[in-house]
């Protein structure tokens, strides 16, 4: 499949000299322990194909195996990535940054060298190679697999050298410091007049336009963090209640963990507001004015307020990381799990359980937001992981606009990129211990919704795959920083196209301007028109477009709550509270985090039943139009096979194909299966054997 890491291709000239071969293998030219670039052997043809700061370390001819047909080509190792270029394949002028065989060094999860039928060596960064490999297997953290067999006939030294180059490059790789980004000029584009395909929320004008689009009349754009002196993990601009002064915002935010105080995440068309914030700062000692400011921001002009304990019933970051590691190990082609126990092993990873928990929690919160006009506050200690996941899922469940292609991209940009999700740390690029792919867990949740409501989403599974694979590639800066401040500090201005920090770099490059570098949303520079066409869901129902759904601020849609009601939503149940903040009446509560209130027993009844049936003083309320309530029990949550089983091409057969020719191949495959199953039908069912529906139902 072409859904993989992206990067430019190389035009390789024939090698003119063979490296020397020593007693321990071919000699690598070294300088102070570093591999010296070998582009001198490539006649300079790769200069125009390399990324800024990228250098060729080694290369060798080989054949890509494991997929049909086998492709002869060249395996290339650089200081940033490993790529395979098929023979005769040239870089497309239409998609100058596209390559389906790129593996960023940080994306390589496992590297194996193979010789003969039984000799296999797992190559860790810095480990020596004990033999000349006949094959090399590169397992990506994104579940892709590249298997290359090297050619014999005197080319063994090159096979040894390129394998050792990959091993040493992984050990020496420091992606954050080396990578300087891709200016649009390198992609053949002019940065002066190019408008970003998705609003990047880098200016106050972007935020004001989005506020008006949502119809959030009671909110305004605050510039209090314009110089990142409130919090470096927050964007320069965000939404606060219109009547709240910036001086009050500054004081109120100081009483929340990492300065991430309450601010608007999304305004529901019916009038409710979804807010997000960090945990109450444990060492804080607010005065009465500060407490009033905090309460005013949490209430956001509503009489009904619900505090949501975000992490309650959700896995910890360590749980997510462990589940993802187990899932990746299970999906490897050489997994030790027996075929008859594979499904049990899948459940044992707990990954699907965590998807299930996220969907249930998001469904409950979407009910809170849509059932009546209120302020719903998502509270997580760091406010940078599950708050973004739940806020995004709630919007996808609640309004059709978020389920369009543009709407979903804008949603990710706002709730993840601009909100300061630590992509670099969570995806393991920095090697820190806090690795946990929360964003990939979110994409799996979205895929589950796409399977359950295929006519409700304008984008397809292939778009989700492209976004999944873009998380660890070196051609875009969108996911290569932890905070908005880090993205903007080198160029002296805030924009996600600014080059990543380089320790030896002091001045911004000449001509560096806003939107001068590649964004993940610049799909047309990384995919051709046929591939982008597959981003669109052919089963999408245009009747679900946002304009035909619900007028803004429809007064009869929501049912007001009782006056001055405050609730805690925890463990699937609503519990009434006497106060919003933990400081007002009991100073001893200052030592407690956001879970400072007593918990009710977990409710087995869904929140939808509770909200539309109880309590009685709220009255009955019909299920709002446009709201999706997904199933999350048992087989309703499925494995994303096209993503996780990409290293096992034999398992991909039977999945729906994206093209007419592909569908014809799949139809032929299914017809062959029907012919094999027909003899198994019992004599009493012989009359039904010609009915494909009967045969398929019996095979389930």
């Amino acid at each position: 499949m072409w859904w993989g890491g992206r990067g430019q291709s190389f035009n390789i000239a024939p090698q003119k000299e063979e490296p020397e071969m020593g007693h321990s293998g071919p000699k690598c030219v070294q300088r102070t322990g570093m591999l010296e670039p070998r582009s001198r052997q490539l006649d300079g043809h790769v200069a125009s194909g390399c990324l800024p700061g990228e250098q060729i370390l080694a290369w060798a001819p080989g054949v890509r195996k494991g997929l049909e047909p086998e492709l002869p080509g060249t395996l290339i190792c650089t200081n940033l990535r490993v790529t395979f270029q098929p023979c005769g394949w040239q870089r497309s002028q239409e998609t100058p940054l596209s390559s389906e065989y790129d593996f960023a060094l940080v994306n390589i999860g496992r590297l194996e060298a193979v010789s003969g039928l039984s000799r296999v060596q797992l190559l860790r960064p810095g480990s020596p190679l004990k033999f000349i490999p006949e094959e090399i297997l590169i397992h990506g953290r994104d579940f892709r697999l590249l298997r290359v067999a090297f050619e014999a006939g005197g080319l063994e030294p090159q096979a040894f050298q390129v394998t050792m180059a990959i091993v040493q490059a992984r050990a020496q790789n420091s992606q954050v410091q080396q990578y300087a980004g891709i200016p649009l000029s390198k992609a053949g584009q002019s940065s002066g007049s190019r408008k970003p395909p998705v609003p990047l929320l880098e200016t106050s004008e972007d935020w004001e336009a989005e506020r008006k689009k949502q119809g959030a009349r009671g909110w305004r754009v605050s510039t209090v963090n314009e110089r990142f002196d409130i919090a470096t993990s927050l964007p320069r601009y965000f939404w606060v209640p219109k009547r709240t002064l910036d001086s009050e915002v500054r004081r109120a935010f100081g009483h929340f963990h990492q300065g991430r105080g309450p601010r608007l995440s999304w305004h529901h068309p019916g009038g409710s507001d979804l807010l997000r914030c960090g945990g109450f700062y444990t060492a804080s000692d607010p005065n009465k004015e500060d407490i009033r400011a905090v309460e005013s921001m949490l209430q956001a002009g509503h009489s009904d307020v619900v505090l949501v304990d975000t992490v309650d019933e959700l896995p910890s970051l360590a749980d997510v990381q462990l589940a993802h590691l187990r899932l990746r190990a299970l999906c490897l082609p050489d997994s030790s799990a027996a075929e008859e126990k594979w499904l049990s092993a899948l459940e044992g990873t707990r990954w699907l359980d965590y998807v299930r928990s996220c969907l249930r929690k998001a469904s409950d919160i979407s009910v809170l937001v849509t059932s009546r006009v209120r302020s719903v506050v998502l509270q997580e200690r760091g406010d940078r992981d599950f708050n973004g996941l739940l806020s995004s899922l709630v919007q996808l469940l609640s309004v059709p606009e978020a389920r369009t292609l543009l709407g979903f991209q804008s949603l990710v940009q706002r709730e993840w990129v601009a909100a300061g999700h630590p992509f670099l740390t969570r995806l393991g690029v920095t090697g820190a211990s806090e690795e946990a792919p929360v964003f990939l867990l979110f994409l799996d949740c979205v895929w589950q919704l796409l399977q359950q409501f295929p006519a409700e989403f304008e984008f397809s599974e292939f778009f989700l795959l492209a976004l999944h694979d873009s998380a660890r590639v070196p051609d875009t800066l969108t996911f290569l920083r932890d905070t908005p401040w880090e993205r903007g500090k080198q160029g002296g201005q805030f924009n996600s196209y600014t080059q990543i920090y380089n320790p030896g770099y002091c001045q911004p490059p000449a001509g560096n301007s806003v939107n001068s570098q590649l964004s993940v949303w610049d799909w047309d520079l990384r995919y051709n028109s046929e591939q982008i066409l597959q981003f669109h869901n052919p089963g999408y129902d245009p009747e679900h477009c946002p304009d035909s759904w619900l007028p803004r601020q429809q007064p009869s849609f929501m049912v007001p709550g009782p006056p001055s009601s405050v609730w805690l939503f925890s463990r699937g149940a609503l519990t009434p509270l006497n106060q919003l903040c933990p400081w007002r009446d009991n100073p001893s509560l200052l030592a407690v985090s956001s879970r400072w209130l007593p918990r009710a027993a977990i409710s087995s009844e869904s929140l939808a039943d509770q909200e539309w049936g109880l309590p009685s003083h709220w009255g009955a309320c019909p299920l709002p139009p446009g709201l999706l309530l997904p199933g999350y029990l048992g087989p309703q949550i499925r494995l994303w096979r096209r993503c996780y089983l990409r290293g096992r091409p034999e398992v991909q057969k039977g999945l729906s194909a994206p093209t007419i020719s592909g569908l014809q191949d799949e139809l032929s495959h299914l017809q062959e299966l029907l012919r094999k199953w027909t003899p198994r039908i019992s004599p009493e069912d012989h009359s039904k054997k010609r009915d494909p529906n009967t045969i398929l139902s019996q095979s389930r």
Side-chain angles (χ1 to χ4, degrees):
M1 285 191 222
W2 51 267
W3 310 98
R6 308 293 163 216
Q8 284 181 303
S9 62
F10 298 93
N11 297 320
I12 304 299
Q15 188 170 357
K16 293 185 177 180
E17 60 182 31
E18 292 183 8
E20 285 183 54
M21 184 73 178
H23 294 290
S24 60
K27 274 187 173 179
C28 291
V29 181
Q30 296 191 8
R31 180 186 300 167
T32 63
M34 295 288 290
L35 282 169
E36 182 177 295
R38 293 172 48 83
S39 56
R40 59 183 178 84
Q41 297 185 4
L42 302 180
D43 289 348
H45 285 269
V46 298
S48 61
C50 290
L51 305 179
E54 186 173 25
Q55 297 173 323
I56 301 296
L57 303 179
W59 60 279
V63 177
R64 187 209 64 181
K65 307 190 72 173
L67 296 173
E68 297 296 337
E70 294 183 351
L71 290 179
T74 305
L75 184 67
I76 306 165
C77 175
T78 79
N79 59 323
L80 294 180
R81 55 182 167 162
V82 178
T83 186
F84 179 81
Q85 179 172 323
C87 290
W89 186 76
Q90 298 294 327
R91 178 178 57 175
S92 170
Q93 294 301 319
E94 182 183 1
T95 56
L97 302 176
S98 177
S99 174
E100 56 183 300
Y101 305 113
D102 278 4
F103 281 75
L105 294 176
V106 71
N107 186 37
I108 299 177
R110 181 175 172 183
L111 181 65
E112 294 176 320
V114 180
S115 179
L117 297 177
S118 59
R119 199 172 186 185
V120 179
Q121 182 182 354
L122 178 62
L123 299 173
R124 295 181 174 85
S127 63
L129 182 58
K130 300 178 181 179
F131 53 82
I132 295 179
E134 296 178 5
E135 288 188 8
I136 185 172
L137 280 73
I138 301 175
H139 301 270
R141 295 188 181 201
D142 56 5
F143 296 85
R144 290 185 299 136
L145 171 65
L146 178 61
R147 178 185 171 193
V148 177
F150 297 111
E151 297 181 7
L155 297 178
E156 291 84 356
Q158 291 175 254
F160 189 99
Q161 188 167 3
V162 74
T163 304
M164 282 304 302
I166 298 174
V167 173
Q168 295 185 33
R170 290 183 68 199
Q172 298 165 359
N173 175 62
S174 179
Q175 182 95 356
V176 181
Q177 285 77 21
Q178 287 185 2
Y179 183 58
I182 301 179
L184 289 175
S185 58
K186 288 284 185 181
Q189 301 290 325
S190 172
S191 60
S193 59
R194 180 179 172 87
K195 182 180 180 181
V198 172
L200 300 176
L201 300 177
E202 297 174 344
T203 65
S204 58
E205 290 78 13
D206 286 347
W207 285 91
E208 179 62 16
E210 181 64 24
R211 184 196 67 81
K212 291 180 178 179
K213 183 179 178 181
Q214 293 188 16
R217 300 175 182 174
W219 298 81
R220 67 176 179 86
V221 178
S222 173
T223 61
V224 69
N225 196 46
E226 196 165 26
R227 296 185 178 182
F228 296 106
D229 51 355
I230 298 295
T232 57
S233 63
L234 285 175
R236 292 177 71 189
Y237 311 101
F238 44 78
W239 298 312
V240 298
K242 183 177 292 186
R243 296 184 179 180
T244 304
L245 302 176
D246 276 351
S247 58
E248 296 175 314
V249 173
R250 184 181 296 273
R251 293 199 309 270
F253 275 42
H255 301 297
F256 289 84
H257 185 68
Q258 294 183 358
R260 297 180 67 91
R263 61 208 184 280
L264 178 66
S265 178
W266 170 63
H267 177 76
H268 189 277
S272 287
D273 290 311
L274 182 65
L275 286 71
R276 58 186 290 180
C277 66
F280 295 117
Y281 187 42
T282 56
S284 177
D285 185 18
N287 55 36
K288 293 182 179 180
E289 289 75 14
D290 292 350
I291 292 179
R292 278 197 294 266
V294 170
E295 290 180 337
S296 174
M297 297 182 71
L298 292 172
Q299 288 177 311
H302 298 278
S303 61
D304 190 17
V305 184
V306 178
L307 286 178
V308 178
D309 188 353
T310 297
V311 297
D312 180 55
E313 299 182 278
L314 295 186
S316 66
L317 294 176
D319 292 336
V320 173
Q321 172 65 2
L322 180 60
H324 194 259
L325 289 175
R326 288 174 174 173
L327 178 66
R328 202 165 69 217
L330 180 64
C331 293
L332 288 173
D334 59 350
S335 172
S336 59
E339 184 176 353
E340 62 274 12
K341 297 182 179 180
W342 199 89
L343 292 179
S344 299
L346 174 62
E347 286 297 325
T349 66
R350 301 297 307 277
W351 181 260
L352 296 184
D353 287 339
Y354 299 153
V355 172
R356 200 173 283 118
S357 299
C358 292
L359 287 177
R360 169 164 180 161
K361 186 91 171 185
S363 299
D364 287 347
I365 298 172
S366 66
V367 170
L368 289 172
V369 172
T370 57
S371 59
R372 63 206 77 255
V373 178
R374 53 163 54 118
S375 171
V376 178
V377 184
L378 304 179
Q379 189 170 41
E380 177 190 21
R381 185 175 185 272
D383 181 36
R384 300 175 67 186
D385 293 295
F386 289 104
N387 268 5
L389 182 147
L390 291 178
S391 175
S392 301
L393 289 179
V394 167
Q395 295 176 56
L396 285 170
L397 293 174
S398 302
V399 289
E401 183 178 7
R403 303 192 284 266
T404 64
L405 187 57
L406 177 59
F408 181 74
Q409 293 177 97
S410 300
L411 173 68
V412 172
Q413 183 69 28
R414 185 177 70 251
E415 299 296 338
W416 293 87
V417 181
H421 176 68
F423 286 102
L424 210 60
T425 299
R426 295 292 181 257
L427 294 175
V429 179
T430 62
S433 59
E434 296 87 3
E435 181 179 354
V438 180
F439 181 66
L440 305 185
L441 178 64
F442 162 69
L443 294 182
D444 197 322
C445 293
V446 178
W447 180 84
Q448 303 290 340
L449 297 178
L450 185 60
Q451 302 311 298
Q452 295 190 28
F453 307 99
E456 300 283 347
F457 290 84
E458 185 184 20
F459 54 87
S460 69
E461 174 185 17
F462 298 100
F463 171 76
L464 292 178
L465 274 172
L467 191 55
H468 178 280
D469 294 346
S470 297
R472 289 191 180 99
V473 296
D475 63 7
T476 170
L477 297 181
T478 307
F479 302 135
L480 286 180
R481 271 307 183 195
D482 279 345
T483 66
W485 173 72
E486 290 177 348
R487 289 190 185 95
K489 65 179 179 180
Q490 179 175 334
Q493 55 188 338
F494 170 71
N495 68 87
S496 66
Y497 291 101
T498 302
Q499 292 186 354
I500 284 185
Y501 172 70
N502 189 320
Y505 196 81
C506 298
Q507 296 294 330
N512 186 39
S513 59
V514 176
N515 303 336
S516 63
Q517 291 188 314
L518 190 68
S519 161
V520 71
W521 314 121
D522 288 304
W523 301 112
D524 58 333
L525 300 180
R526 305 163 63 229
Y527 297 87
N528 61 40
S529 55
E530 181 181 354
Q531 292 168 342
I532 293 178
L533 186 62
Q534 294 178 27
F535 286 0
H536 295 264
N537 175 17
Y540 176 64
D541 187 353
E543 294 297 324
H544 297 155
C545 64
D547 293 338
S548 63
W549 175 60
L550 179 72
R552 297 283 182 184
Q553 305 293 345
Q554 182 175 338
S556 61
F557 174 61
M558 299 287 193
V559 179
S564 303
S565 56
V566 181
W567 306 85
L568 171 69
F569 179 69
S570 178
R571 298 194 178 186
L574 284 169
T575 304
L577 302 176
N578 294 324
Q579 61 189 50
L580 269 175
C581 301
W583 309 294
R584 182 178 288 279
D585 298 324
N586 190 351
S588 65
L589 290 175
L590 296 177
V592 213
S593 67
S594 58
R595 303 187 181 190
W596 54 276
L597 291 158
R599 297 166 177 258
I602 186 170
S603 173
S604 59
E605 185 181 40
S606 72
L607 188 60
D609 294 335
Q610 298 178 50
E611 284 289 86
W612 278 284
L614 294 173
S616 58
H617 64 263
W618 275 337
C621 182
L623 189 68
L627 176 65
L628 306 180
L629 293 179
Y632 42 78
L633 302 177
Q636 292 175 304
I637 302 300
R638 301 157 55 189
L639 178 69
W640 189 1
R641 293 171 58 192
R642 202 183 290 275
C643 178
Y644 302 139
L645 297 178
R646 282 183 287 181
R648 304 173 66 177
E650 73 281 359
V651 186
Q652 297 295 322
K653 291 186 177 181
L655 300 180
S656 355
T659 62
I660 297 297
S661 60
L663 287 173
Q664 291 173 341
D665 293 339
E666 298 295 349
L667 179 59
S668 300
H669 174 70
L670 291 174
Q671 290 173 338
E672 178 64 25
L673 289 178
L674 288 176
R675 283 193 292 270
K676 292 180 179 179
W677 291 336
T678 301
R680 303 178 186 177
I681 300 178
S682 59
E684 57 269 21
D685 293 333
H686 184 73
S687 61
K688 302 179 181 179
K689 70 179 181 180
R690 295 185 179 180
D691 184 357
N693 295 324
T694 303
I695 296 175
L696 288 175
S697 63
Q698 291 181 352
S699 66
R700 295 191 183 103

